[in-house]
Coordinates of all heavy atoms in Angstrom, one line a residue:
M1 N -9.0 -25.5 33.3 CA -9.9 -25.9 34.4 C -10.2 -24.6 35.2 O -9.3 -24.1 35.9 CB -9.2 -26.9 35.3 CG -8.8 -28.2 34.5 SD -8.2 -29.5 35.5 CE -9.8 -29.9 36.3
G2 N -11.4 -24.1 35.0 CA -11.7 -22.8 35.6 C -10.7 -21.8 35.0 O -10.6 -21.7 33.8
R3 N -10.0 -21.1 35.8 CA -9.1 -20.1 35.3 C -7.7 -20.7 35.3 O -6.7 -19.9 35.1 CB -9.1 -18.8 36.1 CG -8.8 -19.0 37.6 CD -9.0 -17.6 38.3 NE -8.6 -17.8 39.7 CZ -7.6 -17.1 40.3 NH1 -7.0 -16.2 39.6 NH2 -7.3 -17.3 41.5
Y4 N -7.5 -22.0 35.5 CA -6.2 -22.6 35.6 C -5.9 -23.5 34.4 O -6.9 -24.0 33.8 CB -6.1 -23.4 36.9 CG -6.4 -22.6 38.1 CD1 -7.6 -22.7 38.8 CD2 -5.4 -21.7 38.6 CE1 -7.8 -21.9 40.0 CE2 -5.6 -20.9 39.7 CZ -6.8 -21.0 40.4 OH -7.0 -20.3 41.5
I5 N -4.7 -23.8 34.2 CA -4.2 -24.7 33.2 C -3.5 -25.9 34.0 O -2.7 -25.6 34.8 CB -3.2 -24.1 32.2 CG1 -4.0 -23.0 31.5 CG2 -2.7 -25.2 31.3 CD1 -3.1 -22.2 30.6
A6 N -3.9 -27.1 33.7 CA -3.3 -28.3 34.3 C -2.4 -28.9 33.4 O -2.6 -28.9 32.2 CB -4.4 -29.3 34.7
D7 N -1.3 -29.5 34.0 CA -0.4 -30.2 33.1 C -1.1 -31.5 32.5 O -1.0 -31.7 31.3 CB 0.9 -30.7 33.9 CG 1.8 -29.5 34.3 OD1 1.7 -28.5 33.7 OD2 2.5 -29.7 35.3
F8 N -1.7 -32.2 33.4 CA -2.5 -33.4 32.9 C -3.7 -33.5 33.8 O -3.7 -33.2 35.0 CB -1.6 -34.7 33.2 CG -0.3 -34.7 32.5 CD1 0.8 -34.3 33.2 CD2 -0.2 -35.0 31.2 CE1 2.1 -34.2 32.6 CE2 1.1 -35.0 30.5 CZ 2.2 -34.6 31.3
V9 N -4.8 -34.0 33.1 CA -6.0 -34.2 33.9 C -6.7 -35.5 33.4 O -6.7 -35.8 32.2 CB -7.0 -33.0 33.7 CG1 -7.4 -32.8 32.3 CG2 -8.2 -33.2 34.6
C10 N -7.3 -36.2 34.3 CA -8.1 -37.4 34.0 C -9.5 -37.1 34.5 O -9.7 -37.1 35.7 CB -7.5 -38.7 34.6 SG -8.6 -40.1 34.3
Y11 N -10.4 -36.7 33.6 CA -11.7 -36.3 34.1 C -12.5 -37.4 34.7 O -13.2 -37.2 35.6 CB -12.5 -35.7 32.9 CG -12.0 -34.4 32.4 CD1 -11.2 -34.3 31.2 CD2 -12.1 -33.2 33.2 CE1 -10.7 -33.1 30.8 CE2 -11.6 -32.0 32.8 CZ -10.9 -31.9 31.6 OH -10.4 -30.7 31.2
R12 N -12.3 -38.6 34.1 CA -13.1 -39.8 34.7 C -12.7 -40.0 36.1 O -13.6 -40.4 36.9 CB -12.7 -41.0 33.8 CG -13.6 -42.2 34.2 CD -13.4 -43.3 33.2 NE -14.1 -44.5 33.7 CZ -13.7 -45.7 33.5 NH1 -12.6 -45.9 32.8 NH2 -14.4 -46.7 34.0
A13 N -11.4 -39.9 36.5 CA -11.0 -40.1 37.9 C -10.9 -38.8 38.7 O -10.5 -38.9 39.9 CB -9.6 -40.8 37.9
N14 N -11.3 -37.7 38.1 CA -11.2 -36.4 38.8 C -9.8 -36.2 39.4 O -9.6 -35.9 40.6 CB -12.3 -36.3 39.9 CG -13.6 -36.0 39.3 OD1 -13.8 -35.7 38.1 ND2 -14.6 -36.1 40.1
L15 N -8.8 -36.4 38.5 CA -7.4 -36.4 39.0 C -6.6 -35.3 38.1 O -6.7 -35.3 36.9 CB -6.8 -37.7 38.8 CG -5.3 -37.8 39.1 CD1 -5.0 -37.6 40.6 CD2 -4.8 -39.2 38.8
V16 N -5.9 -34.5 38.8 CA -5.0 -33.5 38.2 C -3.6 -33.9 38.6 O -3.3 -34.2 39.7 CB -5.3 -32.1 38.6 CG1 -4.3 -31.1 38.1 CG2 -6.7 -31.7 38.2
I17 N -2.7 -33.9 37.6 CA -1.3 -34.3 37.8 C -0.5 -33.1 37.4 O -0.6 -32.6 36.3 CB -0.8 -35.5 37.0 CG1 -1.7 -36.7 37.4 CG2 0.6 -35.8 37.3 CD1 -1.6 -37.9 36.5
E18 N 0.4 -32.6 38.3 CA 1.3 -31.5 38.0 C 2.7 -31.9 38.1 O 3.1 -32.7 39.0 CB 1.0 -30.4 39.0 CG -0.3 -29.7 38.8 CD -0.5 -29.0 37.5 OE1 0.5 -28.3 37.1 OE2 -1.5 -29.2 36.9
V19 N 3.5 -31.5 37.2 CA 5.0 -31.8 37.2 C 5.6 -30.4 37.4 O 5.5 -29.5 36.5 CB 5.5 -32.5 35.9 CG1 7.0 -32.7 36.0 CG2 4.7 -33.8 35.8
D20 N 6.2 -30.2 38.5 CA 6.7 -28.9 38.9 C 8.2 -28.8 38.8 O 9.0 -29.6 39.3 CB 6.4 -28.6 40.4 CG 4.9 -28.5 40.6 OD1 4.2 -28.3 39.6 OD2 4.5 -28.6 41.8
G21 N 8.7 -27.8 38.1 CA 10.1 -27.4 38.0 C 10.5 -26.6 39.2 O 9.7 -26.3 40.1
G22 N 11.7 -26.1 39.2 CA 12.3 -25.4 40.3 C 11.6 -24.1 40.7 O 11.6 -23.7 41.8
V23 N 10.9 -23.5 39.7 CA 10.2 -22.2 39.9 C 9.1 -22.4 41.0 O 8.8 -21.4 41.7 CB 9.7 -21.6 38.6 CG1 8.5 -22.4 38.1 CG2 9.3 -20.2 38.8
H24 N 8.6 -23.6 41.2 CA 7.5 -23.8 42.1 C 8.0 -23.8 43.6 O 7.2 -23.8 44.5 CB 6.8 -25.1 41.8 CG 6.0 -25.1 40.6 ND1 4.7 -24.7 40.5 CD2 6.4 -25.3 39.3 CE1 4.3 -24.8 39.3 NE2 5.3 -25.1 38.5
Q25 N 9.3 -23.7 43.8 CA 9.9 -23.5 45.1 C 9.9 -22.1 45.5 O 10.1 -21.8 46.7 CB 11.3 -24.1 45.2 CG 11.3 -25.6 44.9 CD 12.7 -26.1 44.9 OE1 13.7 -25.5 45.4 NE2 12.9 -27.3 44.3
L26 N 9.7 -21.1 44.6 CA 9.7 -19.7 45.0 C 8.4 -19.4 45.8 O 7.3 -20.0 45.5 CB 9.7 -18.8 43.7 CG 10.9 -19.0 42.8 CD1 10.7 -18.2 41.5 CD2 12.1 -18.5 43.6
P27 N 8.5 -18.6 46.8 CA 7.4 -18.4 47.8 C 6.1 -18.0 47.1 O 5.0 -18.5 47.4 CB 7.9 -17.4 48.7 CG 9.4 -17.5 48.7 CD 9.7 -18.0 47.3
D28 N 6.2 -17.0 46.2 CA 5.0 -16.5 45.5 C 4.3 -17.6 44.6 O 3.1 -17.7 44.5 CB 5.2 -15.2 44.8 CG 6.2 -15.4 43.7 OD1 7.2 -16.1 43.9 OD2 6.1 -14.7 42.6
V29 N 5.1 -18.4 44.0 CA 4.6 -19.5 43.1 C 4.0 -20.6 44.0 O 2.9 -21.1 43.7 CB 5.7 -20.0 42.2 CG1 5.2 -21.2 41.4 CG2 6.2 -18.9 41.3
A30 N 4.7 -20.9 45.1 CA 4.1 -21.9 46.0 C 2.8 -21.5 46.6 O 1.9 -22.3 46.7 CB 5.1 -22.1 47.1
V31 N 2.6 -20.2 46.9 CA 1.3 -19.7 47.4 C 0.2 -19.9 46.3 O -0.9 -20.3 46.6 CB 1.4 -18.3 47.9 CG1 0.1 -17.6 48.1 CG2 2.3 -18.2 49.1
R32 N 0.6 -19.5 45.1 CA -0.4 -19.6 44.0 C -0.7 -21.1 43.8 O -1.9 -21.4 43.5 CB 0.2 -19.0 42.7 CG 0.1 -17.5 42.7 CD 0.3 -16.9 41.3 NE 1.5 -17.4 40.6 CZ 2.6 -16.8 40.5 NH1 2.8 -15.6 41.1 NH2 3.6 -17.3 39.9
D33 N 0.2 -22.0 43.9 CA 0.0 -23.4 43.8 C -1.0 -23.9 44.8 O -1.9 -24.7 44.6 CB 1.3 -24.2 43.9 CG 2.1 -24.2 42.6 OD1 1.6 -23.7 41.6 OD2 3.3 -24.5 42.7
L34 N -0.8 -23.4 46.1 CA -1.7 -23.8 47.2 C -3.2 -23.3 46.9 O -4.1 -24.1 47.1 CB -1.2 -23.2 48.5 CG 0.0 -23.9 49.1 CD1 0.5 -23.1 50.3 CD2 -0.2 -25.3 49.5
E35 N -3.3 -22.1 46.4 CA -4.6 -21.5 46.1 C -5.2 -22.3 45.0 O -6.4 -22.7 45.0 CB -4.5 -20.1 45.7 CG -4.1 -19.2 46.9 CD -3.7 -17.8 46.4 OE1 -3.6 -17.5 45.2 OE2 -3.5 -16.9 47.3
R36 N -4.5 -22.6 44.0 CA -4.9 -23.4 42.8 C -5.4 -24.8 43.2 O -6.5 -25.3 42.9 CB -3.8 -23.5 41.8 CG -4.1 -24.2 40.5 CD -2.8 -24.1 39.7 NE -2.9 -24.8 38.5 CZ -2.8 -26.1 38.4 NH1 -2.5 -26.8 39.5 NH2 -3.0 -26.7 37.3
D37 N -4.5 -25.5 44.0 CA -4.9 -26.8 44.5 C -6.2 -26.8 45.4 O -7.0 -27.7 45.2 CB -3.7 -27.4 45.3 CG -2.5 -27.8 44.5 OD1 -2.6 -27.7 43.3 OD2 -1.5 -28.2 45.1
A38 N -6.3 -25.8 46.2 CA -7.5 -25.6 47.0 C -8.8 -25.5 46.1 O -9.8 -26.2 46.4 CB -7.4 -24.5 48.0
W39 N -8.7 -24.7 45.1 CA -9.8 -24.6 44.2 C -10.1 -25.9 43.5 O -11.3 -26.3 43.4 CB -9.6 -23.5 43.1 CG -10.8 -23.3 42.3 CD1 -11.9 -22.5 42.6 CD2 -11.0 -23.9 41.0 NE1 -12.8 -22.6 41.6 CE2 -12.3 -23.5 40.6 CE3 -10.3 -24.8 40.2 CZ2 -12.9 -23.9 39.4 CZ3 -10.9 -25.2 39.0 CH2 -12.1 -24.8 38.6
L40 N -9.1 -26.6 43.0 CA -9.3 -27.9 42.3 C -9.9 -28.9 43.3 O -10.8 -29.6 42.9 CB -8.0 -28.4 41.7 CG -7.4 -27.6 40.5 CD1 -6.0 -28.0 40.3 CD2 -8.3 -27.9 39.3
I41 N -9.4 -28.9 44.5 CA -10.0 -29.9 45.5 C -11.4 -29.5 45.8 O -12.3 -30.4 45.9 CB -9.1 -29.9 46.7 CG1 -7.7 -30.5 46.4 CG2 -9.8 -30.6 47.9 CD1 -6.7 -30.3 47.5
S42 N -11.7 -28.2 45.8 CA -13.1 -27.8 46.1 C -14.0 -28.3 44.9 O -15.3 -28.4 45.1 CB -13.2 -26.3 46.3 OG -13.2 -25.6 45.0
Q43 N -13.5 -28.5 43.7 CA -14.2 -29.0 42.6 C -14.3 -30.5 42.5 O -14.8 -31.0 41.5 CB -13.6 -28.4 41.3 CG -13.6 -26.9 41.3 CD -14.9 -26.2 41.4 OE1 -15.8 -26.5 40.6 NE2 -15.1 -25.4 42.4
G44 N -13.7 -31.2 43.5 CA -13.8 -32.6 43.5 C -12.6 -33.3 43.0 O -12.6 -34.6 42.9
Y45 N -11.5 -32.6 42.7 CA -10.3 -33.2 42.1 C -9.3 -33.6 43.2 O -9.2 -32.9 44.2 CB -9.7 -32.3 41.1 CG -10.4 -32.2 39.8 CD1 -11.4 -31.2 39.7 CD2 -10.2 -33.1 38.8 CE1 -12.2 -31.1 38.5 CE2 -11.0 -33.0 37.6 CZ -11.9 -32.0 37.5 OH -12.7 -31.9 36.3
T46 N -8.6 -34.6 42.9 CA -7.4 -34.9 43.7 C -6.2 -34.4 42.9 O -6.2 -34.5 41.6 CB -7.2 -36.5 43.8 OG1 -8.2 -36.9 44.7 CG2 -5.9 -36.8 44.4
V47 N -5.3 -33.7 43.5 CA -4.1 -33.2 42.8 C -2.9 -33.9 43.3 O -2.6 -34.0 44.5 CB -4.0 -31.7 43.2 CG1 -2.7 -31.1 42.4 CG2 -5.2 -30.9 42.8
L48 N -2.2 -34.5 42.3 CA -0.9 -35.1 42.5 C 0.2 -34.2 42.0 O 0.1 -33.7 40.8 CB -0.7 -36.4 41.9 CG -1.7 -37.6 42.3 CD1 -1.4 -38.8 41.5 CD2 -1.4 -37.8 43.8
R49 N 1.2 -33.9 42.8 CA 2.3 -33.0 42.4 C 3.6 -33.8 42.4 O 3.9 -34.5 43.4 CB 2.5 -31.8 43.2 CG 1.4 -30.8 43.0 CD 1.7 -29.5 43.7 NE 0.7 -28.5 43.3 CZ 0.9 -27.7 42.2 NH1 2.0 -27.9 41.4 NH2 0.0 -26.9 41.8
F50 N 4.3 -33.8 41.4 CA 5.7 -34.4 41.3 C 6.6 -33.3 40.8 O 6.3 -32.5 40.0 CB 5.7 -35.6 40.3 CG 4.7 -36.6 40.6 CD1 3.4 -36.7 40.0 CD2 4.9 -37.6 41.5 CE1 2.5 -37.6 40.2 CE2 4.0 -38.6 41.9 CZ 2.8 -38.6 41.2
T51 N 7.9 -33.4 41.3 CA 8.9 -32.6 40.8 C 9.5 -33.1 39.5 O 9.3 -34.3 39.3 CB 10.1 -32.4 41.9 OG1 10.7 -33.7 42.0 CG2 9.6 -31.9 43.2
T52 N 10.0 -32.3 38.8 CA 10.7 -32.7 37.5 C 11.7 -33.8 37.9 O 11.9 -34.8 37.2 CB 11.4 -31.5 36.8 OG1 10.4 -30.5 36.6 CG2 12.0 -31.9 35.5
R53 N 12.4 -33.6 39.0 CA 13.5 -34.5 39.4 C 12.9 -35.9 39.7 O 13.4 -36.9 39.3 CB 14.2 -34.0 40.6 CG 15.2 -34.9 41.2 CD 16.5 -35.0 40.5 NE 17.1 -33.7 40.5 CZ 18.0 -33.4 39.5 NH1 18.3 -34.2 38.6 NH2 18.6 -32.2 39.5
Q54 N 11.7 -35.9 40.3 CA 11.0 -37.2 40.6 C 10.7 -37.9 39.3 O 10.9 -39.1 39.2 CB 9.7 -37.0 41.4 CG 9.9 -36.7 42.8 CD 8.6 -36.4 43.5 OE1 8.0 -35.4 43.2 NE2 8.1 -37.4 44.3
V55 N 10.2 -37.2 38.3 CA 9.9 -37.8 37.0 C 11.1 -38.3 36.3 O 11.1 -39.4 35.8 CB 9.1 -36.8 36.2 CG1 8.9 -37.3 34.8 CG2 7.8 -36.4 36.8
E56 N 12.2 -37.6 36.4 CA 13.4 -38.0 35.8 C 14.1 -39.1 36.5 O 14.6 -40.1 35.8 CB 14.4 -36.8 35.7 CG 14.0 -35.7 34.8 CD 14.8 -34.4 35.0 OE1 15.6 -34.3 35.9 OE2 14.7 -33.6 34.1
D57 N 14.1 -39.1 37.8 CA 14.8 -40.1 38.6 C 14.0 -41.4 39.0 O 14.6 -42.4 39.3 CB 15.4 -39.5 39.8 CG 16.5 -38.5 39.6 OD1 17.0 -38.4 38.4 OD2 16.8 -37.7 40.5
D58 N 12.7 -41.2 39.0 CA 11.9 -42.3 39.5 C 10.6 -42.4 38.8 O 9.5 -42.4 39.4 CB 11.7 -42.2 41.0 CG 10.9 -43.4 41.6 OD1 11.0 -44.5 41.0 OD2 10.3 -43.2 42.7
I59 N 10.6 -42.5 37.5 CA 9.4 -42.5 36.7 C 8.5 -43.7 37.1 O 7.3 -43.6 37.1 CB 9.7 -42.5 35.1 CG1 8.4 -42.3 34.3 CG2 10.4 -43.8 34.7 CD1 7.7 -41.0 34.6
N60 N 9.1 -44.9 37.4 CA 8.3 -46.0 37.8 C 7.5 -45.7 39.1 O 6.4 -46.1 39.2 CB 9.2 -47.2 38.0 CG 9.8 -47.7 36.7 OD1 9.2 -47.6 35.6 ND2 11.0 -48.3 36.7
G61 N 8.1 -45.0 40.0 CA 7.4 -44.7 41.3 C 6.3 -43.7 41.0 O 5.2 -43.8 41.5
V62 N 6.6 -42.7 40.1 CA 5.5 -41.8 39.7 C 4.4 -42.5 39.0 O 3.2 -42.2 39.4 CB 6.1 -40.7 38.8 CG1 5.1 -39.8 38.2 CG2 7.2 -39.8 39.5
V63 N 4.7 -43.3 38.1 CA 3.6 -44.1 37.4 C 2.8 -44.9 38.4 O 1.6 -45.0 38.3 CB 4.2 -44.9 36.2 CG1 3.1 -45.9 35.7 CG2 4.7 -44.0 35.2
R64 N 3.5 -45.6 39.3 CA 2.9 -46.4 40.3 C 1.9 -45.6 41.2 O 0.7 -46.0 41.4 CB 3.9 -47.1 41.2 CG 3.4 -48.1 42.1 CD 4.4 -49.0 42.8 NE 5.7 -48.3 43.1 CZ 6.8 -48.4 42.4 NH1 6.9 -49.2 41.4 NH2 7.9 -47.7 42.8
T65 N 2.3 -44.4 41.6 CA 1.5 -43.5 42.4 C 0.3 -43.1 41.6 O -0.9 -43.1 42.1 CB 2.3 -42.3 42.8 OG1 3.4 -42.7 43.7 CG2 1.4 -41.3 43.6
V66 N 0.4 -42.7 40.3 CA -0.7 -42.3 39.5 C -1.6 -43.5 39.3 O -2.9 -43.3 39.4 CB -0.2 -41.8 38.1 CG1 -1.3 -41.5 37.1 CG2 0.6 -40.5 38.3
R67 N -1.1 -44.6 39.0 CA -2.0 -45.8 38.8 C -2.8 -46.1 40.0 O -4.0 -46.4 39.9 CB -1.2 -47.0 38.4 CG -0.8 -47.0 36.9 CD -0.1 -48.3 36.6 NE 0.3 -48.3 35.2 CZ 1.2 -49.2 34.7 NH1 1.7 -50.1 35.4 NH2 1.5 -49.1 33.4
N68 N -2.2 -46.1 41.2 CA -2.8 -46.4 42.4 C -3.9 -45.4 42.7 O -5.0 -45.7 43.1 CB -1.9 -46.5 43.6 CG -1.0 -47.7 43.5 OD1 -1.3 -48.7 42.9 ND2 0.1 -47.7 44.2
T69 N -3.6 -44.1 42.5 CA -4.6 -43.1 42.7 C -5.8 -43.2 41.8 O -6.9 -43.1 42.2 CB -3.9 -41.7 42.6 OG1 -2.8 -41.6 43.5 CG2 -4.9 -40.6 42.9
V70 N -5.5 -43.4 40.5 CA -6.6 -43.6 39.5 C -7.5 -44.8 39.9 O -8.7 -44.7 39.9 CB -6.1 -43.7 38.1 CG1 -7.2 -44.2 37.2 CG2 -5.5 -42.4 37.6
S71 N -6.8 -45.9 40.3 CA -7.6 -47.1 40.6 C -8.5 -46.8 41.8 O -9.7 -47.2 41.8 CB -6.6 -48.2 41.0 OG -7.3 -49.3 41.4
N72 N -7.9 -46.1 42.9 CA -8.7 -45.8 44.1 C -9.8 -44.9 43.7 O -11.0 -45.0 44.3 CB -7.8 -45.3 45.2 CG -6.9 -46.3 45.7 OD1 -7.2 -47.5 45.7 ND2 -5.8 -45.9 46.2
R73 N -9.6 -43.9 42.9 CA -10.6 -42.9 42.6 C -11.7 -43.5 41.8 O -12.9 -43.2 42.0 CB -10.0 -41.7 41.8 CG -8.9 -40.9 42.5 CD -9.5 -39.9 43.5 NE -10.3 -38.9 42.8 CZ -11.0 -38.0 43.5 NH1 -11.0 -38.0 44.8 NH2 -11.8 -37.2 42.8
L74 N -11.4 -44.4 40.9 CA -12.4 -45.1 40.1 C -13.3 -46.0 40.9 O -14.4 -46.2 40.6 CB -11.8 -45.7 38.8 CG -11.2 -44.8 37.8 CD1 -10.6 -45.6 36.6 CD2 -12.3 -43.8 37.3
K75 N -12.6 -46.7 41.8 CA -13.4 -47.6 42.7 C -14.4 -46.9 43.5 O -15.5 -47.4 43.7 CB -12.4 -48.4 43.7 CG -11.6 -49.4 43.0 CD -10.7 -50.1 44.0 CE -9.7 -51.0 43.3 NZ -8.7 -51.5 44.2
R76 N -14.1 -45.7 44.0 CA -15.1 -44.9 44.7 C -16.2 -44.4 43.9 O -17.3 -44.1 44.3 CB -14.3 -43.7 45.4 CG -13.7 -44.0 46.6 CD -13.2 -42.8 47.4 NE -11.8 -42.7 47.2 CZ -11.1 -41.6 47.2 NH1 -11.6 -40.5 47.3 NH2 -9.8 -41.7 47.0
A77 N -15.9 -44.2 42.6 CA -17.0 -43.7 41.7 C -18.0 -44.7 41.3 O -19.1 -44.4 40.8 CB -16.3 -43.1 40.4
I78 N -17.7 -46.0 41.5 CA -18.6 -47.1 41.1 C -19.7 -47.3 42.1 O -19.5 -47.1 43.3 CB -17.8 -48.4 40.9 CG1 -16.8 -48.2 39.7 CG2 -18.7 -49.6 40.7 CD1 -15.9 -49.4 39.5

């Protein structure tokens, strides 16, 4: 996506999903993430970020958040 690589993308809903490991807590990586998210948002995307721990410990909550976001994004597109 542009000069970036997304973990997951749903073009129909303009949604990017990122699953971040511990390296994303490092200040320089966090700054790059903010710049990347700003660019994606400027292109009309919503960016959802989850930690690896969230995915491992609460996959149902993660899926629920993704489903709700996709549903809301698609409703706006209609």
Side-chain angles (χ1 to χ4, degrees):
M1 303 188 70
R3 63 185 182 118
Y4 302 105
I5 297 172
D7 289 339
F8 304 95
V9 63
C10 176
Y11 291 107
R12 185 170 175 218
N14 285 347
L15 177 64
V16 173
I17 301 167
E18 293 295 316
V19 179
D20 296 340
V23 71
H24 291 268
Q25 295 177 19
L26 298 173
D28 59 322
V29 176
V31 168
R32 284 196 308 263
D33 286 345
L34 289 172
E35 292 169 353
R36 182 179 175 281
D37 289 356
W39 184 83
L40 289 165
I41 291 166
S42 78
Q43 301 302 302
Y45 288 89
T46 293
V47 179
L48 294 180
R49 287 189 171 276
F50 301 99
T51 64
T52 303
R53 176 77 61 206
Q54 284 175 289
V55 172
E56 292 171 345
D57 293 347
D58 186 22
I59 190 64
N60 291 329
V62 169
V63 170
R64 188 171 33 256
T65 299
V66 171
R67 282 185 180 165
N68 288 341
T69 303
V70 168
S71 177
N72 289 333
R73 299 282 298 173
L74 291 179
K75 285 178 188 172
R76 278 190 254 152
I78 296 174

